[in-house]
Amino acid sequence: MLSESGTRDAGDRIAITLTINGQRRQLQVAPWTSLLDLLREDLDLTGTKKGCDHGQCGACTVIVDGRRVNACLALAVMKDGASVTTIEGLSTGALHPVQAAFVEHDAFQCGYCTPGQIMSAVALIEEGRARTREEIREYMSGNLCRCGAYTNIVDAVESVLNGSSARREAAE
Amino acid sequence: MNRFAYTRAGSVAEAVQALAGDPAARIIAGGTNLVDLMKYNVERPDRLIDITRLPLAAIEEHEGGLRIGALVPNSTVAYDARVTARYPLLASAILAGASPQLRNAASTGGNLLQRTRCYYFYDEGTPCNKRVPGSGCPAIAGVNRIHAILGTSDHCIATHPSDMCVALAALDATVRVEGPNGPRAIPFAEFHRLPGDEPQRDTTLAHGEIVLSVDLPDRDFSRHYTYLKLRDRLSYAFALVSVAAALEMDGETIRTARLALGGVAHKPWRNAQAERSLEGRTAGPETFRAAADLILAEAKPYAHNGFKIELARRAIVRGLAQAAAGTPQSQTDKRIR
């Protein structure tokens, strides 16, 4: 049988807990609220962008429990207990190395896709599977840039990858 | 998106019971397709049954093969060391599809159950026999460049969009499900169905049944395989035509052949006669072309997708050549060799 605590009727708000950028939050959400809308509308974390709202553009990319996902296709209620990192949580004070690389390589024009690009790139580097420019392009393909800044985005990601590998070698 | 009730299932039995008792309820796992369809009002469930807390997220050894739990994310399957070593065709097909973000969220069971990307199906302002049975199919006389050339009916010419399923078809996987009448195992070839006069039914699942796992048999196609996907852009696009080829070779001779096509039909397309025609033959262009001819003899073009027949012919020949040579298509280096 379904437990009473596990079932809610339409209209009810449901209590969930999320750790967002390291801060534990007790929240009440409607079942149809996407993680993206929760971040932007309820929590005022507007760094995460709504582009297509259909999982096609990647502007809403956030990191949930260590994995990059499209926040527009995630229902907040299903992420109860999860840890979420948004662009606002990447660094405190100084820029994150990927943010600095995007500035250095002029990896954006209008900037709307940039938070998603940066979150995706941070995850790509953590995943550790991309080595070549071709691999960077493939593993960044979930993030569209309608200004067409792709070449400089790849430059930025590549520079951080090379820097991290240089640092890793130095440490070994 | 419509409003709906939310149930977090605590066991498979709870999920089955909740689903079976409510024709308008839907199971949700990764949500990458269902949430999208709900935003377009194509799906309007009155209740979502969240199964993500169920213990179906493991990849386990099973009868010499692997059992992939329905909740294992696509990316986890693609990078699992056992999968990449023993079923690289499956890993390759998964990495040919969607984006890293989507593969991280999308589940194994959900990949099987995703709906067509036919633009008429997605547009609630147009008729569609799959969305509203009996309303008509505007694709047949409309814009049908991405549509099927094999196994179509007068009611629907949609394609199944999955890459992963094309590999699972070639690998002869089994889908293990559970419903109100208990568990059953469905051979992959019988899981998806052709549209016929019931295009609203993508699969042979009954309402109330949920996918528990996809089981891979103990066969070794790890040396001679390829997943070759042809599409309008180099990444992050659905297949116009794709080929999953898996061979067992004795030197230059093909001992066993498995061939499945994506992007051409309402389900991953296999042709037993074509596969048998390859077996015992020396690998080479003539043999491959003969198999392609057998598969495509029954192909039926519509106004805008006739190009798929020649594209499929060449993809089959190239895919078989890649598999026979043991040089599978890279999913990052997009040059086709």
Side-chain angles (χ1 to χ4, degrees), chain A residues 1 8 54-55 67 72 138, chain B residues 14 36 39 75 236 334:
Chain A
M1 290 296 291
R8 289 293 184 281
H54 289 282
R67 303 162 76 97
C72 71
E138 175 60 23
Chain B
E14 274 186 14
D36 190 36
K39 290 184 179 190
S75 54
Y236 202 10
K334 304 293 180 166

Side-chain angles (χ1 to χ4, degrees), chain A residues 6-164:
Chain A
T7 302
R8 289 293 184 281
D9 292 326
D12 282 0
R13 285 184 164 251
I14 298 170
I16 65 168
T17 304
L18 287 176
T19 302
I20 300 172
N21 298 328
Q23 193 185 349
R24 199 173 150 86
R25 311 281 295 257
Q26 311 270 2
L27 303 161
Q28 300 278 332
V29 298
W32 46 86
T33 300
S34 68
L35 179 59
L36 175 60
D37 285 343
L38 175 74
L39 292 170
R40 290 181 55 84
E41 307 300 330
D42 295 1
L43 304 178
D44 210 25
L45 291 169
T46 54
T48 306
K49 300 304 183 206
K50 183 179 280 195
C52 68
D53 207 26
H54 289 282
Q56 297 177 8
C57 77
C60 66
T61 301
V62 297
I63 297 176
V64 177
D65 292 336
R67 303 162 76 97
R68 50 176 157 158
V69 298
N70 302 105
C72 71
L73 294 180
L75 296 177
V77 66
M78 293 176 64
K79 298 301 169 192
D80 188 11
S83 185
V84 180
T85 305
T86 71
I87 188 76
E88 290 91 344
L90 263 195
S91 68
T92 49
L95 291 179
H96 184 281
V98 175
Q99 291 174 308
F102 269 62
V103 173
E104 186 185 336
H105 291 273
D106 196 17
F108 47 86
Q109 289 183 43
C110 84
Y112 196 80
C113 73
T114 310
Q117 298 277 1
I118 289 174
M119 296 310 290
S120 205
V122 168
L124 175 152
I125 291 161
E126 183 64 28
E127 290 157 10
R129 297 190 184 99
R131 294 282 180 276
T132 64
R133 286 181 72 85
E134 279 167 335
E135 288 165 348
I136 295 169
R137 286 162 58 95
E138 175 60 23
Y139 296 134
M140 288 296 290
S141 71
N143 294 81
L144 305 190
C145 169
R146 295 297 76 180
C147 300
Y150 294 113
T151 306
N152 292 6
I153 292 169
V154 175
D155 287 347
V157 178
E158 189 179 32
S159 75
V160 181
L161 267 180
N162 290 340
S164 350

Side-chain angles (χ1 to χ4, degrees), chain B residues 24-248:
Chain B
R26 292 287 182 273
I27 295 286
I28 187 163
T32 52
N33 188 218
L34 181 57
V35 172
D36 190 36
L37 290 166
M38 289 166 66
K39 290 184 179 190
Y40 283 110
N41 290 321
V42 175
E43 289 279 4
R44 301 175 58 85
D46 66 7
R47 177 177 299 276
L48 287 186
I49 302 162
D50 175 359
I51 60 167
T52 54
R53 315 276 160 152
L54 301 186
L56 301 172
I59 301 176
E60 299 165 320
E61 294 291 337
H62 177 71
E63 294 180 357
L66 289 177
R67 167 165 284 174
I68 300 171
L71 292 173
V72 182
N74 291 179
S75 54
T76 302
V77 179
Y79 294 117
D80 183 274
R82 294 160 292 180
V83 173
T84 55
R86 289 150 63 185
Y87 305 97
L89 171 60
L90 177 58
S92 184
I94 291 171
L95 294 178
S99 68
Q101 291 97 313
L102 290 167
R103 293 193 293 264
N104 278 344
S107 69
T108 297
N111 191 306
L112 269 58
L113 294 168
Q114 64 179 305
R115 311 298 307 273
T116 184
R117 286 350 189 253
C118 171
Y119 3 82
Y120 299 103
F121 173 71
Y122 257 83
D123 179 0
E124 63 168 340
T126 66
C128 169
N129 286 326
K130 187 180 280 297
R131 180 166 31 77
V132 182
S135 61
C137 174
I140 290 172
V143 179
N144 47 37
R145 183 172 173 276
I146 66 171
H147 290 76
I149 52 173
L150 288 162
T152 54
S153 78
D154 293 341
H155 304 280
C156 182
I157 60 171
T159 59
H160 193 265
S162 171
D163 292 298
M164 186 180 89
C165 289
V166 183
L168 291 174
L171 292 169
D172 271 344
T174 300
V175 186
R176 201 166 52 98
V177 309
E178 182 153 333
N181 300 321
R184 66 183 177 117
I186 307 171
F188 206 83
E190 295 166 24
F191 185 80
H192 296 100
R193 59 186 296 284
L194 292 178
D197 58 5
E198 285 187 295
Q200 69 274 19
R201 292 179 57 220
D202 294 349
T203 71
T204 54
L205 277 188
H207 187 77
E209 285 184 318
I210 69 172
V211 176
L212 302 182
S213 72
V214 174
D215 296 349
L216 302 173
D218 180 17
R219 287 295 294 269
D220 186 5
F221 295 108
S222 62
R223 246 186 74 63
H224 295 284
Y225 73 94
T226 198
Y227 189 74
L228 176 60
K229 177 176 179 178
L230 305 174
R231 47 192 148 173
D232 280 327
R233 57 185 183 198
L234 285 177
S235 184
Y236 202 10
F238 291 97
L240 292 167
V241 170
S242 69
V243 173
L247 306 175
E248 287 172 331

